[in-house]
Amino acid sequence: MALVGEFESTDGQTCLMVVNRDFIEPASFHVVLRKPAAGVSMLSRQDGQWQTVEDYDPETGALTLPLSAGNAELLRLE
């Protein structure tokens, strides 16, 4: 089961936090945006830079997000 939070960043961009609520099992979540964005970026834990989500489909607003147990990812809508 996933938990999704939507909020606006300090620079006015829409962001999503997607959390795997299962602390035991990894999961892959199919995310479909209510309003498709031109692109989606994910914040890298390694260098703190935004990286383009390659499997995002701007026509359908869909992407697949694999998350390890209890993990989360921060997404930014372009």
Side-chain angles (χ1 to χ4, degrees):
M1 180 182 299
L3 172 68
V4 179
E6 179 180 350
F7 56 95
E8 187 176 296
S9 67
T10 56
D11 60 358
Q13 291 189 291
T14 300
C15 294
L16 302 175
M17 176 70 74
V18 182
V19 181
N20 179 359
R21 292 184 55 194
D22 190 328
F23 287 96
I24 298 170
E25 297 292 327
S28 186
F29 299 101
H30 183 73
V31 178
V32 180
L33 304 176
R34 289 180 287 172
K35 181 179 171 186
V40 176
S41 299
M42 184 172 6
L43 188 62
S44 168
R45 286 188 175 86
Q46 287 75 29
D47 61 13
Q49 300 297 312
W50 291 101
Q51 300 176 342
T52 300
V53 175
E54 298 298 332
D55 78 335
Y56 173 68
D57 183 348
E59 291 188 21
T60 63
L63 63 104
T64 300
L65 190 60
L67 292 172
S68 58
N71 202 359
E73 293 291 354
L74 180 61
L75 306 174
R76 179 177 69 183
L77 308 184
E78 307 296 333

Coordinates of all heavy atoms in Angstrom, one line a residue:
M1 N 0.8 -1.2 0.0 CA 0.0 0.0 0.0 C 0.9 1.2 0.0 O 1.9 1.3 0.7 CB -0.9 0.0 1.2 CG -1.8 1.2 1.3 SD -2.9 1.3 2.7 CE -3.8 -0.2 2.5
A2 N 0.5 2.2 -0.8 CA 1.3 3.5 -0.9 C 0.5 4.6 -0.2 O -0.7 4.6 -0.1 CB 1.5 3.8 -2.4
L3 N 1.3 5.6 0.2 CA 0.8 6.8 0.7 C 1.4 7.9 -0.2 O 2.6 7.9 -0.5 CB 1.3 7.1 2.1 CG 1.0 8.4 2.7 CD1 -0.5 8.6 2.9 CD2 1.7 8.6 4.0
V4 N 0.5 8.8 -0.7 CA 1.0 9.8 -1.6 C 0.6 11.2 -1.1 O -0.6 11.4 -0.7 CB 0.3 9.7 -3.0 CG1 0.8 10.8 -4.0 CG2 0.7 8.3 -3.6
G5 N 1.6 12.0 -0.9 CA 1.3 13.4 -0.5 C 1.6 14.4 -1.6 O 2.6 14.2 -2.3
E6 N 0.7 15.3 -1.8 CA 0.9 16.3 -2.8 C 1.1 17.7 -2.2 O 0.3 18.0 -1.2 CB -0.3 16.4 -3.8 CG -0.1 17.4 -4.9 CD -1.3 17.4 -5.8 OE1 -2.2 16.5 -5.7 OE2 -1.4 18.4 -6.6
F7 N 2.1 18.5 -2.6 CA 2.3 19.8 -2.0 C 3.0 20.7 -3.0 O 3.5 20.2 -4.0 CB 3.1 19.7 -0.7 CG 4.4 19.0 -0.8 CD1 5.6 19.7 -1.1 CD2 4.5 17.6 -0.8 CE1 6.8 19.1 -1.2 CE2 5.8 17.0 -0.9 CZ 6.9 17.7 -1.1
E8 N 3.1 21.9 -2.6 CA 3.8 22.9 -3.5 C 5.1 23.3 -2.9 O 5.2 23.6 -1.7 CB 2.9 24.2 -3.6 CG 3.4 25.2 -4.6 CD 2.4 26.3 -4.8 OE1 1.3 26.1 -5.3 OE2 2.8 27.4 -4.5
S9 N 6.2 23.3 -3.7 CA 7.5 23.6 -3.2 C 7.6 25.1 -3.0 O 6.7 25.9 -3.4 CB 8.6 23.1 -4.1 OG 8.5 23.9 -5.4
T10 N 8.7 25.6 -2.4 CA 8.9 27.0 -2.1 C 9.0 27.8 -3.4 O 8.7 29.0 -3.4 CB 10.1 27.3 -1.2 OG1 11.2 26.7 -1.9 CG2 9.9 26.7 0.1
D11 N 9.4 27.2 -4.5 CA 9.4 27.9 -5.8 C 8.2 27.7 -6.6 O 8.2 28.0 -7.8 CB 10.7 27.5 -6.6 CG 10.7 26.0 -6.9 OD1 9.8 25.2 -6.5 OD2 11.7 25.6 -7.6
G12 N 7.1 27.2 -6.0 CA 5.8 27.1 -6.7 C 5.6 25.9 -7.5 O 4.5 25.8 -8.2
Q13 N 6.5 24.9 -7.5 CA 6.2 23.7 -8.3 C 5.5 22.6 -7.5 O 5.7 22.5 -6.3 CB 7.6 23.1 -8.8 CG 8.2 24.0 -9.8 CD 9.4 23.4 -10.5 OE1 10.4 23.2 -9.8 NE2 9.2 23.0 -11.7
T14 N 4.7 21.8 -8.2 CA 4.0 20.7 -7.5 C 4.9 19.6 -7.3 O 5.6 19.2 -8.3 CB 2.7 20.3 -8.4 OG1 1.9 21.4 -8.6 CG2 2.0 19.2 -7.8
C15 N 4.9 19.0 -6.1 CA 5.7 17.9 -5.8 C 4.8 16.8 -5.2 O 3.8 17.0 -4.6 CB 6.8 18.2 -4.8 SG 8.0 19.4 -5.4
L16 N 5.3 15.5 -5.4 CA 4.6 14.4 -4.8 C 5.6 13.6 -4.0 O 6.8 13.4 -4.4 CB 4.1 13.4 -5.9 CG 3.1 14.0 -6.9 CD1 2.8 13.0 -7.9 CD2 1.8 14.5 -6.2
M17 N 5.2 13.1 -2.8 CA 6.0 12.2 -2.0 C 5.2 10.9 -2.0 O 4.1 10.8 -1.6 CB 6.2 12.7 -0.6 CG 6.9 11.7 0.3 SD 8.6 11.5 0.0 CE 9.3 13.1 0.6
V18 N 5.9 9.8 -2.6 CA 5.2 8.5 -2.7 C 6.0 7.6 -1.7 O 7.2 7.5 -1.8 CB 5.3 8.0 -4.1 CG1 4.6 6.6 -4.2 CG2 4.7 8.9 -5.1
V19 N 5.2 7.0 -0.8 CA 5.8 6.2 0.3 C 5.3 4.8 0.3 O 4.1 4.6 0.1 CB 5.4 6.8 1.7 CG1 6.0 6.0 2.8 CG2 5.9 8.3 1.8
N20 N 6.2 3.8 0.4 CA 5.8 2.4 0.5 C 5.5 2.2 2.0 O 6.4 2.2 2.8 CB 6.9 1.5 0.0 CG 6.5 0.0 0.2 OD1 5.4 -0.3 0.6 ND2 7.4 -0.9 -0.2
R21 N 4.2 2.0 2.4 CA 3.9 1.9 3.8 C 4.2 0.5 4.3 O 4.1 0.3 5.5 CB 2.4 2.1 3.9 CG 2.0 3.6 3.7 CD 0.6 3.9 3.9 NE 0.2 3.5 5.3 CZ -1.0 3.4 5.7 NH1 -2.0 3.7 4.9 NH2 -1.3 3.0 6.9
D22 N 4.6 -0.4 3.5 CA 4.9 -1.8 3.9 C 6.4 -1.8 4.4 O 7.3 -1.5 3.5 CB 4.7 -2.8 2.8 CG 4.8 -4.2 3.3 OD1 5.6 -4.5 4.2 OD2 4.1 -5.1 2.7
F23 N 6.7 -2.0 5.6 CA 8.0 -2.0 6.1 C 8.8 -3.4 6.0 O 9.9 -3.5 6.4 CB 8.0 -1.6 7.6 CG 7.8 -0.1 7.8 CD1 6.5 0.3 8.1 CD2 8.8 0.8 7.7 CE1 6.2 1.6 8.3 CE2 8.5 2.1 7.8 CZ 7.2 2.6 8.1
I24 N 8.1 -4.3 5.4 CA 8.7 -5.7 5.2 C 8.9 -6.0 3.7 O 10.0 -6.5 3.4 CB 7.7 -6.7 5.8 CG1 7.6 -6.5 7.3 CG2 8.3 -8.1 5.6 CD1 6.6 -7.3 8.0
E25 N 8.0 -5.7 2.9 CA 8.1 -6.1 1.5 C 8.3 -4.9 0.5 O 7.6 -3.8 0.7 CB 6.8 -6.8 1.0 CG 6.6 -8.1 1.7 CD 7.6 -9.2 1.4 OE1 8.1 -9.2 0.2 OE2 7.9 -10.0 2.3
P26 N 9.2 -5.0 -0.5 CA 9.3 -3.9 -1.5 C 8.0 -4.0 -2.4 O 7.3 -5.0 -2.4 CB 10.5 -4.3 -2.3 CG 10.7 -5.8 -2.0 CD 10.1 -6.1 -0.7
A27 N 7.8 -2.9 -3.1 CA 6.6 -2.9 -3.9 C 6.9 -2.0 -5.1 O 7.7 -1.1 -5.1 CB 5.4 -2.4 -3.2
S28 N 6.1 -2.2 -6.2 CA 6.2 -1.4 -7.4 C 4.8 -0.7 -7.5 O 3.8 -1.4 -7.6 CB 6.6 -2.2 -8.6 OG 6.8 -1.4 -9.7
F29 N 4.8 0.6 -7.6 CA 3.5 1.3 -7.7 C 3.3 1.9 -9.1 O 4.2 2.6 -9.6 CB 3.4 2.4 -6.6 CG 3.5 1.8 -5.2 CD1 4.7 1.9 -4.5 CD2 2.4 1.2 -4.6 CE1 4.8 1.4 -3.3 CE2 2.5 0.7 -3.4 CZ 3.7 0.8 -2.7
H30 N 2.1 1.8 -9.6 CA 1.7 2.4 -10.9 C 1.0 3.7 -10.5 O 0.0 3.7 -9.9 CB 0.8 1.5 -11.7 CG 0.4 2.0 -13.0 ND1 1.3 2.1 -14.0 CD2 -0.8 2.5 -13.4 CE1 0.7 2.6 -15.1 NE2 -0.6 2.9 -14.7
V31 N 1.7 4.8 -10.8 CA 1.2 6.1 -10.4 C 0.6 6.8 -11.7 O 1.3 6.8 -12.7 CB 2.3 7.0 -9.9 CG1 1.8 8.4 -9.5 CG2 2.9 6.4 -8.6
V32 N -0.6 7.3 -11.6 CA -1.2 8.0 -12.7 C -1.6 9.4 -12.2 O -2.4 9.5 -11.3 CB -2.5 7.3 -13.3 CG1 -3.1 8.0 -14.4 CG2 -2.1 5.9 -13.7
L33 N -1.1 10.4 -12.8 CA -1.4 11.8 -12.4 C -2.8 12.2 -12.8 O -3.2 11.8 -13.9 CB -0.4 12.7 -13.0 CG 1.1 12.5 -12.7 CD1 2.0 13.5 -13.4 CD2 1.4 12.5 -11.2
R34 N -3.5 12.9 -12.0 CA -4.8 13.4 -12.4 C -4.8 14.3 -13.6 O -5.7 14.3 -14.4 CB -5.5 14.2 -11.2 CG -5.9 13.3 -10.0 CD -6.5 14.2 -9.0 NE -5.3 14.9 -8.3 CZ -5.5 15.8 -7.4 NH1 -6.7 16.2 -7.1 NH2 -4.5 16.4 -6.9
K35 N -3.7 15.1 -13.7 CA -3.5 16.0 -14.8 C -2.1 15.8 -15.3 O -1.2 16.1 -14.6 CB -3.7 17.5 -14.4 CG -3.6 18.5 -15.4 CD -3.8 19.9 -14.9 CE -3.4 20.9 -15.9 NZ -3.5 22.3 -15.3
P36 N -1.9 15.1 -16.5 CA -0.6 14.8 -16.9 C 0.3 16.1 -17.0 O -0.1 17.2 -17.4 CB -0.8 14.3 -18.3 CG -2.2 13.7 -18.3 CD -3.0 14.6 -17.4
A37 N 1.5 15.9 -16.6 CA 2.5 17.0 -16.6 C 3.4 16.8 -17.8 O 3.5 15.7 -18.4 CB 3.3 17.0 -15.3
A38 N 4.2 17.8 -18.2 CA 5.1 17.7 -19.4 C 6.2 16.7 -19.0 O 6.7 16.0 -19.9 CB 5.7 19.0 -19.7
G39 N 6.6 16.6 -17.8 CA 7.7 15.7 -17.3 C 7.6 15.6 -15.8 O 7.0 16.3 -15.1
V40 N 8.4 14.6 -15.3 CA 8.5 14.3 -13.9 C 9.9 14.1 -13.6 O 10.6 13.4 -14.3 CB 7.6 13.1 -13.5 CG1 7.8 12.7 -12.0 CG2 6.2 13.3 -13.8
S41 N 10.4 14.7 -12.5 CA 11.8 14.5 -12.0 C 11.7 13.9 -10.6 O 10.8 14.1 -9.9 CB 12.5 15.8 -12.0 OG 12.6 16.4 -13.2
M42 N 12.8 13.2 -10.3 CA 12.9 12.5 -8.9 C 14.2 13.1 -8.3 O 15.2 13.2 -8.9 CB 13.0 11.0 -9.1 CG 13.0 10.3 -7.8 SD 12.8 8.5 -7.8 CE 12.9 8.1 -9.5
L43 N 14.1 13.4 -7.0 CA 15.3 13.9 -6.3 C 16.3 12.7 -6.0 O 15.9 11.7 -5.4 CB 14.9 14.6 -5.0 CG 16.0 15.3 -4.2 CD1 16.5 16.5 -5.1 CD2 15.4 15.8 -2.9
S44 N 17.5 12.9 -6.4 CA 18.5 11.9 -6.2 C 19.0 11.9 -4.8 O 19.4 13.0 -4.3 CB 19.7 12.1 -7.2 OG 20.8 11.3 -6.8
R45 N 19.1 10.7 -4.1 CA 19.7 10.7 -2.8 C 21.2 10.8 -2.9 O 21.9 11.2 -1.9 CB 19.3 9.3 -2.2 CG 17.9 9.3 -1.7 CD 17.7 8.0 -0.9 NE 16.3 8.0 -0.4 CZ 15.3 7.5 -1.0 NH1 15.4 7.1 -2.2 NH2 14.1 7.6 -0.5
Q46 N 21.8 10.4 -4.0 CA 23.3 10.4 -4.1 C 23.8 11.9 -4.2 O 24.8 12.2 -3.5 CB 23.7 9.6 -5.3 CG 23.6 8.1 -5.2 CD 22.2 7.6 -5.3 OE1 21.4 8.2 -6.0 NE2 21.9 6.6 -4.6
D47 N 23.2 12.7 -5.0 CA 23.8 14.0 -5.2 C 22.9 15.2 -5.0 O 23.2 16.4 -5.2 CB 24.4 14.1 -6.6 CG 23.4 14.0 -7.7 OD1 22.2 14.0 -7.5 OD2 23.9 13.8 -8.9
G48 N 21.6 14.9 -4.6 CA 20.6 16.0 -4.3 C 20.1 16.7 -5.6 O 19.5 17.8 -5.4
Q49 N 20.4 16.2 -6.7 CA 20.0 16.8 -8.0 C 18.7 16.1 -8.5 O 18.4 15.0 -8.2 CB 21.1 16.6 -9.1 CG 22.4 17.3 -8.7 CD 22.3 18.8 -8.5 OE1 21.7 19.5 -9.4 NE2 22.8 19.3 -7.4
W50 N 17.9 16.9 -9.2 CA 16.7 16.3 -9.9 C 17.1 15.6 -11.1 O 17.8 16.1 -11.9 CB 15.7 17.5 -10.2 CG 15.1 18.1 -9.0 CD1 15.5 19.3 -8.5 CD2 14.1 17.6 -8.2 NE1 14.8 19.6 -7.3 CE2 13.9 18.6 -7.1 CE3 13.3 16.5 -8.2 CZ2 12.9 18.4 -6.1 CZ3 12.4 16.3 -7.2 CH2 12.2 17.2 -6.2
Q51 N 16.5 14.4 -11.2 CA 16.8 13.5 -12.4 C 15.5 13.2 -13.1 O 14.5 12.9 -12.4 CB 17.5 12.2 -12.0 CG 18.8 12.5 -11.3 CD 19.4 11.2 -10.8 OE1 18.8 10.2 -10.6 NE2 20.7 11.3 -10.5
T52 N 15.5 13.2 -14.4 CA 14.3 12.9 -15.2 C 13.8 11.5 -15.0 O 14.7 10.6 -15.0 CB 14.5 13.2 -16.7 OG1 14.9 14.5 -16.8 CG2 13.3 12.9 -17.5
V53 N 12.5 11.3 -14.7 CA 12.0 9.9 -14.7 C 11.7 9.4 -16.1 O 10.9 10.0 -16.8 CB 10.7 9.9 -13.8 CG1 10.0 8.5 -13.8 CG2 10.9 10.4 -12.4
E54 N 12.6 8.5 -16.5 CA 12.6 8.1 -17.9 C 11.3 7.4 -18.4 O 10.9 7.5 -19.5 CB 13.8 7.2 -18.2 CG 15.1 8.0 -18.0 CD 15.3 9.1 -18.9 OE1 14.7 9.2 -20.1 OE2 16.0 10.1 -18.5
D55 N 10.7 6.6 -17.5 CA 9.5 5.8 -17.9 C 8.2 6.6 -17.7 O 7.1 6.0 -17.9 CB 9.5 4.5 -17.1 CG 8.9 4.6 -15.7 OD1 9.0 5.6 -15.1 OD2 8.4 3.6 -15.2
Y56 N 8.2 7.9 -17.4 CA 7.0 8.7 -17.4 C 6.5 8.9 -18.7 O 7.2 9.3 -19.7 CB 7.3 10.0 -16.7 CG 6.1 10.9 -16.7 CD1 5.0 10.7 -16.0 CD2 6.2 12.1 -17.5 CE1 3.9 11.5 -16.1 CE2 5.1 12.9 -17.6 CZ 3.9 12.6 -16.8 OH 2.8 13.5 -16.9
D57 N 5.1 8.7 -18.9 CA 4.5 8.9 -20.2 C 3.6 10.2 -20.1 O 2.6 10.2 -19.4 CB 3.6 7.7 -20.5 CG 2.9 7.8 -21.8 OD1 2.9 8.9 -22.4 OD2 2.3 6.8 -22.3
P58 N 4.0 11.3 -20.7 CA 3.3 12.5 -20.6 C 1.9 12.5 -21.2 O 1.1 13.3 -20.8 CB 4.2 13.6 -21.2 CG 5.1 12.8 -22.1 CD 5.2 11.4 -21.5
E59 N 1.7 11.6 -22.1 CA 0.3 11.5 -22.7 C -0.7 10.9 -21.7 O -1.8 11.3 -21.7 CB 0.4 10.7 -24.0 CG 1.2 11.4 -25.1 CD 1.1 10.7 -26.4 OE1 0.1 9.9 -26.6 OE2 1.9 11.0 -27.3
T60 N -0.3 9.9 -21.0 CA -1.2 9.2 -20.0 C -1.0 9.7 -18.6 O -1.9 9.5 -17.8 CB -1.0 7.7 -20.1 OG1 0.3 7.4 -19.6 CG2 -1.2 7.2 -21.4
G61 N 0.1 10.4 -18.3 CA 0.4 10.8 -17.0 C 0.8 9.7 -16.0 O 0.7 9.8 -14.8
A62 N 1.3 8.6 -16.6 CA 1.6 7.3 -15.8 C 3.1 7.1 -15.7 O 3.8 7.4 -16.6 CB 0.9 6.1 -16.5
L63 N 3.4 6.5 -14.6 CA 4.8 6.0 -14.4 C 4.7 4.9 -13.4 O 3.8 4.7 -12.6 CB 5.7 7.1 -13.9 CG 5.4 7.7 -12.5 CD1 6.3 7.2 -11.5 CD2 5.5 9.2 -12.6
T64 N 5.8 4.1 -13.4 CA 5.9 3.0 -12.4 C 7.1 3.3 -11.5 O 8.1 3.7 -11.9 CB 6.2 1.6 -13.1 OG1 5.0 1.4 -14.0 CG2 6.3 0.5 -12.1
L65 N 6.8 3.2 -10.2 CA 7.8 3.6 -9.2 C 8.1 2.4 -8.3 O 7.3 2.1 -7.4 CB 7.2 4.8 -8.4 CG 8.2 5.5 -7.5 CD1 9.4 6.1 -8.2 CD2 7.4 6.6 -6.8
P66 N 9.2 1.7 -8.4 CA 9.6 0.7 -7.5 C 10.1 1.3 -6.2 O 11.0 2.2 -6.2 CB 10.7 -0.1 -8.2 CG 11.2 0.8 -9.2 CD 10.2 1.9 -9.5
L67 N 9.7 0.8 -5.1 CA 10.1 1.3 -3.8 C 10.5 0.1 -2.8 O 9.7 -0.9 -2.7 CB 9.1 2.1 -3.1 CG 8.7 3.4 -3.7 CD1 7.5 4.1 -3.0 CD2 9.9 4.4 -3.6
S68 N 11.6 0.2 -2.2 CA 12.0 -0.8 -1.2 C 11.1 -0.7 0.0 O 10.4 0.3 0.1 CB 13.5 -0.7 -0.9 OG 13.7 0.5 -0.4
A69 N 11.1 -1.6 0.9 CA 10.3 -1.6 2.1 C 10.5 -0.4 2.9 O 11.6 0.0 3.2 CB 10.6 -2.9 2.9
G70 N 9.4 0.3 3.2 CA 9.4 1.5 4.0 C 10.1 2.7 3.3 O 10.2 3.8 4.0
N71 N 10.4 2.7 2.1 CA 11.1 3.7 1.4 C 10.1 4.7 0.8 O 8.9 4.5 0.6 CB 12.0 3.1 0.3 CG 13.2 4.1 0.0 OD1 13.3 5.2 0.5 ND2 14.0 3.6 -0.9
A72 N 10.7 5.9 0.3 CA 9.9 6.9 -0.3 C 10.7 7.6 -1.4 O 11.9 7.6 -1.3 CB 9.4 8.0 0.7
E73 N 10.0 8.3 -2.3 CA 10.7 9.1 -3.3 C 9.9 10.4 -3.4 O 8.7 10.5 -3.3 CB 10.7 8.4 -4.7 CG 11.5 7.1 -4.8 CD 13.0 7.4 -4.7 OE1 13.4 8.5 -4.7 OE2 13.7 6.4 -4.7
L74 N 10.7 11.5 -3.7 CA 10.2 12.8 -3.9 C 10.2 13.1 -5.4 O 11.2 13.0 -6.0 CB 11.0 13.8 -3.1 CG 10.6 15.3 -3.3 CD1 9.1 15.4 -2.7 CD2 11.5 16.2 -2.6
L75 N 9.0 13.4 -5.9 CA 8.9 13.7 -7.4 C 8.5 15.1 -7.5 O 7.7 15.7 -6.7 CB 7.8 12.8 -8.0 CG 7.9 11.3 -7.8 CD1 6.7 10.5 -8.3 CD2 9.2 10.8 -8.5
R76 N 8.9 15.7 -8.6 CA 8.6 17.1 -9.0 C 7.9 17.1 -10.4 O 8.5 16.5 -11.3 CB 9.8 18.0 -9.0 CG 9.5 19.4 -9.4 CD 10.8 20.2 -9.3 NE 11.7 19.8 -10.4 CZ 12.9 20.3 -10.6 NH1 13.4 21.2 -9.7 NH2 13.7 19.9 -11.6
L77 N 6.8 17.7 -10.5 CA 6.1 17.8 -11.8 C 6.6 19.0 -12.6 O 6.7 20.1 -12.0 CB 4.6 17.8 -11.6 CG 3.9 16.8 -10.7 CD1 2.4 16.9 -10.7 CD2 4.4 15.4 -11.1
E78 N 6.9 18.8 -13.8 CA 7.5 19.9 -14.7 C 6.3 20.6 -15.4 O 5.3 20.0 -15.7 CB 8.4 19.3 -15.7 CG 9.5 18.4 -15.1 CD 10.5 19.1 -14.2 OE1 10.6 20.4 -14.3 OE2 11.0 18.5 -13.3

